[in-house]
C-alpha cells in the first residue's frame, strides 16, 4: 500500500486567488472554499492593470507574464510585493521556481526556444521517445519535467556537462497525468477525468537510486488534504479532522471558476460539493496560494 508522506507540520489551507488574466482586470478576489467564512474577499491590484498570464504558483507567490510588455515578474498577493525579472518573452513551454523569490536559494527555470543573455543557457536534451512537455516542478534544486505520458526527465544545473537525465520505467506510458506537485520532498501526480472535472487516480513517484522509477497508486491519504489546479497544486496536513482530511479540492480549468470537492473512500473519489464564484465574475483563473508560505 502506498500512502502520503508523513509530516509533523500542520499547515493552513491555501486560498484560491481569482486572477482576471484574460481581460486585464484590476479587481481580483480571494476565495476560501475550505472555511467559506468569509467566502469571498475582493481586492484591487494596480500591478495587474494589464493582461497577464499565470505561469506558475508556489511558496505564496505567483510567477506572471505581462501580455502587454512580455515582462516576467513575481507577485505576492498577500503582501503586494512585486519582483521583476530580467526577462522578456511571449511564450514558454514550462516554468518553475525552487524557492520564494525573496530567498537567495531561488532558481527560476524557463524552458523555451529563445533565451536572454543575462540568464544561464542550457540545451534541452531529451530522447526521441520523450513526448510533449506538460509539467515542470523543482525539488531539492533539481528540475523535474513530465511529458504527456507521465515520463520523467530531470535537470541539475549544479552539474557540469549534459545534465539532462531521463528516468526509465516500464509503466510510465500507462500514466497520463493532469497535475504534478511536490509535498514533503516527494513527488505526486494526479490523473483527472476531462477538463479538470473529476479525480481518477493519485500517484506517488517512486525513485530507486535516482535511475529507475515507477508511478505507484496512493491508497492511503492519511490525514492529508490535496488542492489541485491548472496553475499549481499543493497539499496540507493536519487540517480539521472531520471536515477536511482525506479530501481533494479541485479548481476547474474553465470560465466558471468552480472548485469541486471530493472525498477519498477506499480508493474511490466521490464528489460531495461544488463551490462556485460565478456571482462574482466569469473567466477568472483560479490559482491556489499557500498562506503558510506568505
Amino acid at each position: 500500500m502506498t500512502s502520503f508522506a508523513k509530516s509533523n507540520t500542520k499547515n493552513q489551507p491555501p486560498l484560491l486567488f481569482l486572477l482576471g488574466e484574460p481581460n486585464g482586470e484590476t479587481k481580483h478576489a480571494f476565495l476560501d472554499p475550505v472555511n467559506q467564512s468569509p467566502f469571498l474577499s475582493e481586492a484591487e491590484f494596480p500591478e495587474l492593470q494589464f493582461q497577464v498570464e499565470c505561469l506558475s504558483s508556489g511558496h505564496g507567490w505567483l510567477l506572471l507574464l505581462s501580455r502587454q510588455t512580455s515582462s516576467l515578474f513575481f507577485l505576492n498577493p498577500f503582501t503586494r510585493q512585486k519582483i521583476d525579472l530580467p526577462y522578456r518573452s511571449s511564450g514558454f513551454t514550462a516554468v518553475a521556481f525552487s524557492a520564494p523569490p525573496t530567498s537567495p536559494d531561488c532558481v527560476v527555470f524557463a524552458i523555451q526556444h529563445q533565451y536572454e543573455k543575462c540568464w544561464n543557457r542550457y540545451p534541452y536534451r531529451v530522447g526521441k521517445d520523450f513526448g510533449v512537455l506538460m509539467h515542470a516542478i523543482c525539488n531539492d534544486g533539481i528540475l523535474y519535467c513530465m511529458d504527456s505520458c507521465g515520463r520523467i526527465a530531470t535537470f541539475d544545473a549544479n552539474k557540469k556537462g549534459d545534465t539532462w537525465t531521463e528516468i526509465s520505467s516500464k509503466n510510465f506510458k500507462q500514466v497520463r497525468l493532469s497535475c504534478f506537485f511536490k509535498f514533503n520532498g516527494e513527488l505526486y501526480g494526479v490523473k483527472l477525468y476531462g477538463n479538470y472535472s473529476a479525480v481518477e487516480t493519485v500517484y506517488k513517484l517512486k525513485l530507486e537510486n535516482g535511475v529507475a522509477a515507477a508511478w505507484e497508486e496512493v491508497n492511503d491519504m492519511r490525514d492529508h488534504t490535496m488542492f489541485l489546479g491548472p496553475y499549481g497544486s499543493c497539499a496540507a496536513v493536519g487540517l480539521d479532522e472531520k471536515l477536511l482530511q482525506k479530501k481533494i479540492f479541485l479548481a476547474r480549468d474553465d470560465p466558471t471558476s468552480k472548485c469541486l470537492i471530493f472525498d477519498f473512500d477506499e480508493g474511490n473519489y466521490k464528489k460531495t460539493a461544488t463551490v462556485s464564484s460565478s456571482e462574482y465574475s466569469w473567466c477568472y483563473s483560479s490559482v491556489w496560494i499557500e498562506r503558510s508560505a506568505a
Side-chain angles (χ1 to χ4, degrees):
M1 175 181 290
T2 301
S3 61
F4 258 78
K6 293 183 179 180
S7 175
N8 296 320
T9 304
K10 290 188 177 182
N11 297 327
Q12 285 184 298
L15 296 177
L16 271 179
F17 183 59
L18 300 182
L19 176 65
E21 64 170 23
N23 46 12
E25 290 282 352
T26 59
K27 183 179 292 185
H28 307 271
F30 292 98
L31 177 66
D32 189 351
V34 175
N35 300 308
Q36 301 187 26
S37 179
F39 175 67
L40 192 70
S41 177
E42 295 186 13
E44 290 280 351
F45 283 85
E47 304 91 341
L48 303 177
Q49 61 183 351
F50 42 78
Q51 291 185 343
V52 295
E53 177 184 356
C54 183
L55 302 178
S56 184
S57 172
H59 312 286
W61 291 79
L62 303 177
L63 183 53
L64 303 172
L65 173 69
S66 167
R67 293 178 176 171
Q68 182 182 44
T69 63
S70 297
S71 60
L72 192 64
F73 64 96
F74 282 103
L75 178 70
N76 186 320
F78 298 107
T79 65
R80 306 298 184 91
Q81 185 176 2
K82 180 184 176 184
I83 299 177
D84 293 308
L85 296 181
Y87 202 91
R88 291 185 181 275
S89 177
S90 58
F92 296 88
T93 304
V95 179
F97 56 101
S98 61
T102 52
S103 168
D105 298 324
C106 180
V107 177
V108 180
F109 297 89
I111 300 177
Q112 64 161 183
H113 295 295
Q114 302 176 6
Y115 72 96
E116 291 287 322
K117 293 182 179 179
C118 54
W119 286 47
N120 293 329
R121 181 192 181 194
Y122 301 91
Y124 177 60
R125 293 175 178 172
V126 294
K128 61 180 181 179
D129 293 333
F130 197 81
V132 178
L133 180 60
M134 300 296 292
H135 304 282
I137 59 175
C138 296
N139 190 38
D140 292 332
I142 298 177
L143 179 68
Y144 287 79
C145 297
M146 184 176 69
D147 74 357
S148 56
C149 293
R151 289 173 290 222
I152 300 293
T154 65
F155 173 78
D156 189 348
N158 295 319
K159 293 183 178 180
K160 295 182 179 180
D162 190 351
T163 58
W164 282 99
T165 302
E166 289 186 57
I167 302 177
S168 60
S169 176
K170 294 181 180 180
N171 74 336
F172 273 9
K173 293 183 179 180
Q174 302 173 10
V175 180
R176 296 178 180 271
L177 304 177
S178 303
C179 299
F180 188 37
F181 68 100
K182 67 175 182 178
F183 180 71
N184 282 347
E186 299 204 73
L187 304 180
Y188 296 88
V190 182
K191 188 176 183 179
L192 303 175
Y193 290 110
N195 188 24
Y196 284 75
S197 59
V199 178
E200 181 177 341
T201 313
V202 177
Y203 295 94
K204 182 165 69 174
L205 185 65
K206 181 182 179 181
L207 298 176
E208 298 177 356
N209 300 321
V211 179
W215 285 111
E216 295 185 337
E217 185 174 347
V218 173
N219 300 309
D220 183 6
M221 287 187 63
R222 297 184 184 272
D223 59 346
H224 292 70
T225 309
M226 297 172 57
F227 303 89
L228 310 177
Y231 303 98
S233 303
C234 57
V237 64
L239 302 179
D240 187 281
E241 182 176 356
K242 294 182 179 179
L243 298 178
L244 299 177
Q245 292 181 10
K246 295 187 178 182
K247 287 186 181 291
I248 295 179
F249 290 76
L250 176 61
R252 290 289 307 271
D253 185 20
D254 63 17
T256 63
S257 301
K258 290 182 179 179
C259 180
L260 310 180
I261 303 175
F262 297 84
D263 280 344
F264 179 80
D265 184 18
E266 298 181 353
N268 296 315
Y269 301 90
K270 180 181 179 182
K271 188 174 74 171
T272 57
T274 300
V275 179
S276 176
S277 61
S278 59
E279 294 183 0
Y280 173 69
S281 183
W282 283 55
C283 295
Y284 272 63
S285 299
S286 301
V287 186
W288 290 110
I289 300 291
E290 299 164 278
R291 287 186 285 186
S292 59

